[in-house]
């Protein structure tokens, strides 16, 4: 089922998500399935459960749409349940980010260029994985959502001023993304 994507200003996007109860496998798998369908319909590359109104520590990423630019992301998809970052690289990199919850807004964000993350996959197996390049970027962006942060929180003060009007328009409901969305 395609779920509405909550937009900038929605309270659920600012809450720290709770751990998913691993004993509720059927519910988790249904949510993951719905999130995948929602992500595909919205033409995105990542989605965190809070973005569909569920304050649980679950995220999905799909690098395949970026395979022309980043060939190493061909067929690269992950479902992460209760992910935890174990290590971040000291080196950082800056990329221009956007977000389905903040339509039409893009900004450079600096993040560690590699991370080690531990999570449960869809088979409920514990996985520890080292990610770098754009795969690390996508996962970190979605992990931020699980902590109640949005990429615009991490931009320079001057950039915040530049995007301020666009953010206000989202809050006022003056944006109409091509996917199903909710304001609050």
């Amino acid at each position: 089922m395609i779920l509405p994507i909550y937009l900038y200003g929605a309270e659920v996007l600012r809450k720290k998500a709770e751990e998913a109860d691993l004993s509720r496998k059927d519910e988790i798998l249904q949510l993951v399935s719905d999130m995948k369908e929602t992500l595909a319909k919205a033409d995105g590359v990542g989605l965190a459960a809070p973005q569909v109104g569920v304050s649980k520590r679950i995220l999905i990423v799909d690098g395949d749409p970026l395979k022309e630019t980043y060939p190493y992301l061909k067929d690269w998809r992950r479902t992460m349940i209760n992910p935890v970052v174990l290590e971040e690289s000291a080196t950082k990199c800056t990329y221009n980010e956007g977000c389905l919850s903040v339509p039409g807004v893009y900004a450079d964000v600096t993040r560690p260029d590699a991370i080690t993350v531990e999570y449960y996959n869809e088979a409920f197996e514990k996985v520890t994985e080292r990610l770098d390049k754009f795969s690390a970027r996508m996962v970190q962006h979605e992990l931020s959502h699980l902590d109640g942060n949005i990429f615009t929180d991490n931009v320079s003060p001057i950039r915040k001023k530049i995007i301020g009007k666009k953010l206000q328009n989202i809050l006022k409901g003056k944006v109409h993304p091509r996917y199903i969305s909710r304001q609050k």
Side-chain angles (χ1 to χ4, degrees):
M1 172 172 54
I2 296 173
L3 303 171
I5 296 174
Y6 284 68
L7 299 181
Y8 180 81
E11 191 176 308
V12 70
L13 296 175
R14 292 303 188 173
K15 289 182 183 174
K16 183 171 178 147
E18 299 174 7
E19 280 200 2
D21 181 349
L22 298 178
S23 71
R24 303 181 77 114
K25 292 181 181 180
D26 290 342
E27 287 177 28
I28 291 171
L29 292 176
Q30 183 60 57
L31 175 60
V32 167
S33 175
D34 292 347
M35 288 172 64
K36 287 180 178 180
E37 192 174 344
T38 301
L39 182 64
K41 184 71 172 175
D43 291 325
V45 296
L47 194 63
Q51 291 180 273
V52 294
V54 179
S55 190
K56 297 293 179 194
R57 297 190 74 77
I58 300 171
L59 66 85
I60 61 172
V61 287
D62 181 357
D64 198 60
L66 301 172
K67 65 187 171 202
E68 298 301 318
T69 305
Y70 306 110
Y72 58 88
L73 291 178
K74 182 180 188 309
D75 298 324
W76 191 86
R77 295 174 181 90
R78 297 290 186 275
T79 296
M80 297 184 177
I81 303 163
N82 296 336
V84 176
V85 175
L86 301 177
E87 185 180 353
E88 296 179 342
S89 66
T91 56
K92 310 253 186 227
C93 60
T94 302
Y95 283 102
N96 195 261
E97 293 187 19
C99 181
L100 294 172
S101 291
V102 192
V105 177
Y106 302 91
D108 287 343
V109 178
T110 302
R111 299 184 190 269
D113 65 2
I115 59 171
T116 301
V117 63
E118 182 178 82
Y119 60 93
Y120 290 90
N121 63 18
E122 284 181 75
F124 296 92
E125 302 161 327
K126 190 178 264 191
V127 176
T128 301
E129 187 173 13
R130 177 94 173 147
L131 304 173
D132 63 4
K133 303 179 189 172
F134 210 78
S135 61
R137 169 67 46 161
M138 290 189 301
V139 170
Q140 288 176 86
H141 178 104
E142 300 310 327
L143 282 166
S144 291
H145 282 297
L146 301 183
D147 292 330
N149 297 314
I150 298 172
F151 82 100
T152 56
D153 298 338
N154 302 318
V155 301
S156 68
I158 188 85
R159 186 67 181 150
K160 279 186 185 178
K161 281 191 175 222
I162 293 169
I163 63 175
K165 182 147 176 76
K166 287 183 179 184
L167 296 176
Q168 286 301 314
N169 285 339
I170 296 169
L171 289 172
K172 293 175 183 175
K174 293 183 178 181
V175 297
H176 305 286
R178 65 189 182 292
Y179 42 86
I180 300 167
S181 62
R182 283 188 70 165
Q183 285 301 121
K184 304 230 178 214

